[in-house]
Amino acid sequence: MNKRINLSQGKLEKWEESFVPEKDLFFLRDEDYHLVKEFGVNCLLFSKEEFMKHPTYTAVSYRSCYKYWTLSKNITMVVVLPHRVFPSLKDSVKTDILKIQQQIGRGLIFETHYFEGILREPAKSLLAPYEFVSNNLQYIAIQKEVWNKITKSLKSDLLNRIAFDYDTPGIFDPYVPTESVTSTYVNTYPNQHGANCLSSTLFVAASLEAGVTLDWLIREWVHPTTFMNGITQLGYKEVPLSKDAMFPHDIIIWKDEQKLIVHASFHIKQQYFFNKNGQSFFNPWKTVHMRELEEQWDMYTIHVYRK
């Protein structure tokens, strides 16, 4: 069984700097429009369509912190605030707005068990206006203004607990082969958001082809078309699926019903893969067995690509 990945204090300090973006974002549905006036004039009100094309707010830092991929499809508008505005609202208004954020799936909202045993004064009082109940569960929302004021020890403890949830220990064989180009990355975390499954897979394939470790690639946020361009240039083509006869250096891609790529992983050997789940810095690079990948991605269709 794989061991939990240790987090250095230096890594935690890098995460602390970018865990909460500079601007507060609140996602609303049509039925929430009456709350817009509560934000006052010191804000920007975006339509969902315009917001999702904005060069600042489509950046990986905002996407990863606020978890755009979990947002409800029902949102129609986005309120953007300087981080000092939201704390000035009435507590009852804060609660109403934060409940909506939890219901529509916005990031930076955590069940209170993440804080058990580590939440003390003055942080307890600072966070009290951001604690609320939704669907019979208790939550605490993290906003930039409060994040700037709580202690470094609480920040480190909270980040450690979140990382623990992301880093589920392997449940299968303890044997974890690595390629030379992956050995320095296996069981480590990125410093920043962005590195995803596609960049991690392309990094290994391109580095092996080049004969040198192309470290910059693994830190990129790679999109599906760019990824397919990359592996095509390397000579990869789709082959008939045969999970029992995978070759070393095969690339496995999972696609949804619209044939869109949702995940990719690089086969090292003996059904062990170099893998990263997601673009968050909480997602470590690991070597995992095919059985674990099947458990996580079995709702999608597997495609095998080979040189």
Side-chain angles (χ1 to χ4, degrees):
M1 182 175 289
N2 295 338
K3 295 181 179 178
R4 169 86 201 288
I5 302 173
N6 291 324
L7 270 168
S8 67
Q9 189 57 39
K11 182 76 68 178
L12 288 168
E13 287 174 0
K14 287 185 181 296
W15 286 5
E16 288 169 16
E17 295 172 5
S18 56
F19 180 57
V20 186
E22 283 299 316
K23 303 278 179 40
D24 288 341
L25 305 185
F26 298 96
F27 301 86
L28 302 174
R29 304 155 299 193
D30 282 339
E31 60 263 37
D32 308 317
Y33 184 75
H34 65 283
L35 290 169
V36 171
K37 67 179 185 298
E38 302 291 349
F39 293 102
V41 297
N42 192 11
C43 72
L44 290 173
L45 178 62
F46 285 86
S47 68
K48 175 185 174 181
E49 292 74 22
E50 195 169 61
F51 177 84
M52 292 302 181
K53 296 176 182 176
H54 195 285
T56 297
Y57 304 115
T58 53
V60 68
S61 56
Y62 278 94
R63 283 181 173 273
S64 299
C65 295
Y66 287 109
K67 299 175 71 171
Y68 291 5
W69 59 92
T70 65
L71 291 172
S72 166
K73 294 180 180 179
N74 294 331
I75 64 168
T76 56
M77 66 199 97
V78 186
V79 178
V80 177
L81 300 173
H83 60 73
R84 290 183 176 85
V85 174
F86 193 69
S88 68
L89 305 185
K90 293 186 295 184
D91 285 351
S92 59
V93 174
K94 287 194 193 83
T95 299
D96 289 343
I97 293 168
L98 292 175
K99 280 184 178 180
I100 294 167
Q101 303 314 293
Q102 186 277 322
Q103 291 164 5
I104 57 93
R106 199 202 77 173
L108 296 178
I109 295 175
F110 304 94
E111 290 185 37
T112 52
H113 70 78
Y114 280 99
F115 297 84
E116 288 175 3
I118 62 173
L119 188 56
R120 302 176 181 85
E121 294 294 354
K124 191 172 183 179
S125 296
L126 280 171
L127 287 167
Y130 305 90
E131 188 170 356
F132 61 95
V133 176
S134 179
N135 297 323
N136 298 317
L137 290 174
Q138 206 157 8
Y139 296 90
I140 293 178
I142 298 294
Q143 301 296 137
K144 184 66 172 181
E145 187 72 3
V146 175
W147 184 250
N148 288 342
K149 294 177 180 178
I150 61 178
T151 64
K152 289 185 71 66
S153 60
L154 177 56
K155 291 177 182 177
S156 294
D157 286 341
L158 178 60
L159 291 172
N160 251 309
R161 291 185 175 189
I162 298 169
F164 185 82
D165 275 359
Y166 275 76
D167 176 26
T168 305
I171 59 174
F172 297 110
D173 301 333
Y175 173 62
V176 283
T178 62
E179 288 285 353
S180 58
V181 297
T182 66
S183 58
T184 58
Y185 289 99
V186 170
N187 292 338
T188 66
Y189 292 94
N191 289 333
Q192 303 291 336
H193 295 302
N196 62 2
C197 64
L198 302 183
S199 61
S200 302
T201 301
L202 183 58
F203 155 76
V204 186
S207 295
L208 291 173
E209 177 69 18
V212 294
T213 305
L214 305 176
D215 294 289
W216 73 277
L217 270 179
I218 200 170
R219 302 186 185 98
E220 289 289 302
W221 180 25
V222 172
H223 290 220
T225 300
T226 305
F227 172 73
M228 291 305 301
N229 289 341
I231 67 171
T232 299
Q233 283 183 303
L234 291 168
Y236 277 86
K237 296 181 180 179
E238 186 168 5
V239 298
L241 173 64
S242 179
K243 291 187 288 184
D244 297 326
M246 286 186 185
F247 292 6
H249 302 177
D250 281 355
I251 289 174
I252 311 300
I253 298 174
W254 284 261
K255 298 181 181 181
D256 64 15
E257 293 177 351
Q258 286 75 46
K259 306 298 182 183
L260 300 176
I261 296 174
V262 293
H263 190 65
S265 197
F266 188 89
H267 183 219
I268 299 170
K269 60 181 178 181
Q270 298 180 31
Q271 295 207 339
Y272 282 91
F273 290 76
F274 183 67
N275 187 70
K276 187 178 189 292
N277 289 334
Q279 66 194 40
S280 167
F281 55 45
F282 290 117
N283 298 118
W285 291 292
K286 302 186 77 170
T287 302
V288 300
H289 194 275
M290 183 64 181
R291 288 172 291 186
E292 291 188 48
L293 292 172
E294 287 177 322
E295 283 192 356
Q296 293 169 329
W297 305 100
D298 66 349
M299 69 288 293
Y300 302 108
T301 304
I302 296 177
H303 301 259
V304 179
Y305 286 75
R306 181 173 298 154
K307 292 192 69 168

